[in-house]
Amino acid sequence: MRPEAEWPGKVTDQVTPPVTPPVERLLGLLAEEGELSNASLREHLKLKDRTHVRKHYIDPALEQGLIEYTIPDKPNSRLQKYRLTAAGQAWLQQQNNKG
């Protein structure tokens, strides 16, 4: 008997969660502006709450590998910024090709 993954026509579940509108907005901003700090992100997004930005924008994008720290060894550094990863750039390119 073959494992389920080898069954012909078997549709596998999506492994990564879909990109939410806040994460999509963050990716577009980083693509346009380049590396940005948390404060700069909040300023561009016209948001004030650090916790909200981290919970809804930064953390999901980091977890999905769409953005990365510029100083990975010091995630809490005051000099920390965020940038797109190759996966984030590929996701944006895929979205541009759809529309």
Side-chain angles (χ1 to χ4, degrees):
M1 197 158 171
R2 293 190 294 182
E4 275 187 54
E6 294 180 11
W7 290 0
K10 170 85 170 119
V11 176
T12 57
D13 291 333
Q14 192 172 2
V15 177
T16 57
V19 173
T20 61
V23 171
E24 188 173 340
R25 196 169 160 203
L26 172 64
L27 296 179
L29 178 60
L30 289 173
E32 190 176 303
E33 299 291 329
E35 297 176 356
L36 292 172
S37 66
N38 187 303
S40 295
L41 287 172
R42 291 193 321 269
E43 183 179 324
H44 281 83
L45 296 169
K46 296 180 177 33
L47 298 170
K48 293 182 182 178
D49 187 353
R50 289 178 71 135
T51 304
H52 175 79
V53 171
R54 174 158 293 285
K55 183 177 177 183
H56 295 281
Y57 292 76
I58 296 171
D59 287 348
L62 284 168
E63 288 169 12
Q64 292 179 24
L66 301 172
I67 66 169
E68 64 187 0
Y69 295 117
T70 57
I71 311 170
D73 297 339
K74 298 180 180 182
N76 296 323
S77 170
R78 65 182 176 81
L79 303 174
Q80 187 62 262
K81 292 184 180 181
Y82 305 93
R83 65 178 163 229
L84 284 175
T85 62
Q89 291 170 350
W91 186 88
L92 283 170
Q93 186 65 39
Q94 180 183 12
Q95 297 309 302
N96 289 337
N97 291 339
K98 282 184 181 179

